[in-house]
Amino acid sequence: MTNGFHTIAIHGGYDNRANHDAATPPIYQSAAFDMESAVRGDRLAAGEEQGFSYSRVANPTIDVLEQRLAQLEGGDDAVAVASGMAAVSFALLCAAEGGGRIISPTNLYGASVDAMETFFPQFGVHTDFVKDINDLTEVESKIGPDTRAIFAESVANPSTEITDVEALANLAHKHGIPLIIDNTVPTPYLFRPIEFGADVVVHSTTKGITGHGNALGGVVVDAGRFDWAAGRHPQFTRKELVVSDERNGIWRSFADAFGPKAYIRRVRIKYVRTFGAVQAPFNAYLQLMGLETLPEREQREVATATAIAKHLQTNPHVLKVNYSGLGDTDQRDLVAKYYPNGVGTILSFLIDGDEEHVRRLLDATRVFTYIPNIGDARSLIVDPARITHREVPEEYRLRAGVTDNLIRLSIGLEDPEDLIADLDQALDAAFAE
């Protein structure tokens, strides 16, 4: 087997001979599995043997998806969950539980900001927000003894601002801190953060990975190389019953039991198993089918997104187009370094009008669909200030450029000429007297 991206997207993590020669991964729609013997059952429950006993912990269909995504991201292991926000929440809480702090920018997806600003503090996890995640001096000034992780999006939604992952990873590692990157927007086809030093990668697989708007999902991918037992993360060296043998007086921590896999096993055993945000086997199957065409979809959608961004720059009602893939910002060097094949399929633009003009434009589109999703085969349109970033504090929204006259597009597989014509007529309708 070669290691080419297209090949892994179709074959990675799957052995058809172990599945009755089925050409595609079967949907194992079973809540539980025969553990075969008392001895094996005990080993499965203790995490000493990998296998399947209960689908809240692991399932064969989902396992294929996890292995495939780990390979595509260049990671060591992965855990799939019910949604992208479950992946973000579990990844960050697992790193910072017990009173830790996270450093993050504010130009994130709205629900991520809301979780870190108002919800995680209820669990003792706080966030130190920075204005610019690429300002390493500002980031370093926030690092303290209880800093447990740095978190950012590889390509921000909806500004498409790019994180300098390699520089941020070097800074994080200098202080013994892991870097966690949300790579939802570009997908692993366009960018693989682990290759540039990221320790953990998360995705809303609902988006470009599935690609057809028909399944919710998320994933946490672990590079498997960060030392979680070095001292900043005491949860990994604390003895815990769930990975120990109390009857025989054998007490282990996650670091004792799993070594370099301590983090990803803790995500599975403590977070997925306990909080129960489990991905459905059928959803995993749909994501596997979507993955098979990810490279082809991304190539076409990026090309169309670029054409639309260039066209919007010529419209007199458009004040600004946010699409770093055009290479017309001060991030052009980062684009060249990290994104030679494009930055992704979303872009946003400001119109010379108010909320009423935005409403008219949204209601006038005929090919674009008004949906708060991205990465679909269909082209989507939304007003972030009212929908995806509604819960973000005004200060953060304005800093990220999410104003009331901002419109976000997610470009699908339709003919680019039809999408451009639809935007033109919708803009004309919005500003008609």
Side-chain angles (χ1 to χ4, degrees):
M1 179 75 68
T2 65
N3 293 318
F5 191 96
H6 294 69
T7 303
I8 295 171
I10 295 172
H11 296 285
Y14 182 62
D15 180 359
N16 61 323
R17 296 192 177 185
N19 290 276
H20 305 287
D21 294 315
T24 60
I27 302 168
Y28 283 89
Q29 195 65 39
S30 181
F33 301 87
D34 188 345
M35 295 182 290
E36 300 177 9
S37 71
V39 170
R40 183 171 183 268
D42 186 55
R43 291 182 58 81
L44 287 170
E48 295 171 353
E49 179 176 331
Q50 293 300 292
F52 307 101
S53 60
Y54 195 52
S55 280
R56 196 176 81 238
V57 181
N59 173 282
T61 309
I62 300 167
D63 180 68
V64 177
L65 177 65
E66 292 167 342
Q67 291 187 55
R68 191 165 296 177
L69 288 171
Q71 290 180 41
L72 290 175
E73 278 289 4
D76 177 69
D77 203 352
V79 171
V81 292
S83 70
M85 276 311 302
V88 170
S89 298
F90 290 178
L92 295 180
L93 290 174
C94 186
E97 67 177 71
R101 304 188 73 88
I102 301 162
I103 297 173
S104 173
T106 54
N107 64 341
L108 304 172
Y109 172 58
S112 297
V113 175
D114 184 47
M116 290 187 285
E117 174 81 2
T118 69
F119 193 48
F120 289 177
Q122 309 305 313
F123 298 88
V125 173
H126 297 265
T127 300
D128 296 306
F129 288 107
V130 296
K131 293 180 180 179
D132 181 1
I133 198 65
N134 290 335
D135 183 344
L136 300 185
T137 301
E138 182 186 12
V139 174
E140 191 165 30
S141 72
K142 300 289 186 180
I143 296 175
D146 53 355
T147 302
R148 302 285 184 80
I150 297 175
F151 174 65
E153 292 175 352
S154 52
V155 175
N157 173 8
S159 68
T160 75
E161 290 177 315
I162 294 168
T163 296
D164 189 350
V165 172
E166 187 170 42
L168 197 60
N170 290 338
L171 174 65
H173 296 158
K174 184 177 79 170
H175 292 275
I177 299 168
L179 176 61
I180 301 175
I181 293 292
D182 185 333
N183 199 37
T184 296
V185 171
T187 78
Y189 176 67
L190 297 176
F191 182 57
R192 306 202 323 168
I194 289 171
E195 292 181 352
F196 294 93
D199 301 289
V200 176
V201 172
V202 298
H203 282 276
S204 171
T205 52
T206 309
K207 311 300 193 298
I209 283 173
T210 299
H212 296 86
N214 56 4
L216 289 175
V219 70
V220 181
V221 181
D222 182 14
R225 62 193 179 206
F226 185 79
D227 184 3
W228 296 93
R232 275 191 181 265
H233 305 85
Q235 64 268 38
F236 293 98
T237 54
R238 183 176 59 244
K239 308 298 182 185
E240 296 210 35
L241 180 58
V242 72
V243 292
S244 298
D245 185 352
E246 184 181 32
R247 291 174 178 81
N248 293 308
I250 300 172
W251 290 91
R252 290 184 289 257
S253 67
F254 273 80
D256 293 333
F258 305 116
K261 289 182 178 287
Y263 174 85
I264 200 66
R265 293 292 173 83
R266 190 172 181 82
V267 170
R268 184 182 300 280
I269 294 170
K270 297 295 284 188
Y271 284 85
V272 180
R273 186 182 68 89
T274 304
F275 285 117
V278 182
Q279 186 167 132
F282 183 60
N283 281 13
Y285 173 81
L286 291 174
Q287 289 167 62
L288 285 164
M289 296 303 100
L291 265 178
E292 292 185 357
T293 60
L294 174 61
E296 288 71 26
R297 286 187 287 104
E298 287 289 303
Q299 287 176 21
R300 178 176 173 83
E301 290 168 356
V302 165
T304 302
T306 304
I308 289 173
K310 290 178 179 178
H311 178 77
L312 285 171
Q313 288 181 320
T314 69
N315 191 291
H317 298 299
V318 174
L319 298 175
K320 180 184 179 183
V321 176
N322 299 314
Y323 190 60
S324 56
L326 291 176
D328 58 355
T329 72
D330 58 4
Q331 292 197 315
R332 63 180 65 86
D333 290 342
L334 295 179
V335 173
K337 175 179 179 177
Y338 294 126
Y339 297 95
N341 296 315
V343 302
T345 64
I346 71 165
L347 61 117
S348 59
F349 61 97
L350 293 166
I351 62 169
D352 183 18
D354 55 22
E355 287 185 274
E356 180 58 31
H357 291 97
V358 170
R359 293 191 187 100
R360 290 179 190 173
L361 191 157
L362 294 171
D363 292 345
T365 57
R366 297 293 177 264
V367 182
F368 282 87
T369 308
Y370 184 44
I371 287 178
N373 191 21
I374 61 173
D376 199 330
R378 298 153 196 77
S379 290
L380 314 176
I381 190 169
V382 77
D383 46 341
R386 288 291 183 179
I387 307 297
T388 62
H389 289 64
R390 192 183 189 98
E391 67 270 44
V392 176
E394 182 180 36
E395 176 190 354
Y396 296 169
R397 276 194 289 107
L398 296 180
R399 189 186 300 163
V402 182
T403 55
D404 289 339
N405 61 333
L406 182 75
I407 295 167
R408 186 191 72 188
L409 305 178
S410 173
I411 304 305
L413 295 173
E414 300 94 342
D415 290 299
E417 297 82 6
D418 292 334
L419 295 172
I420 287 172
D422 192 36
L423 289 171
D424 283 346
Q425 67 83 24
L427 280 160
D428 288 344
F431 287 92
E433 294 296 334

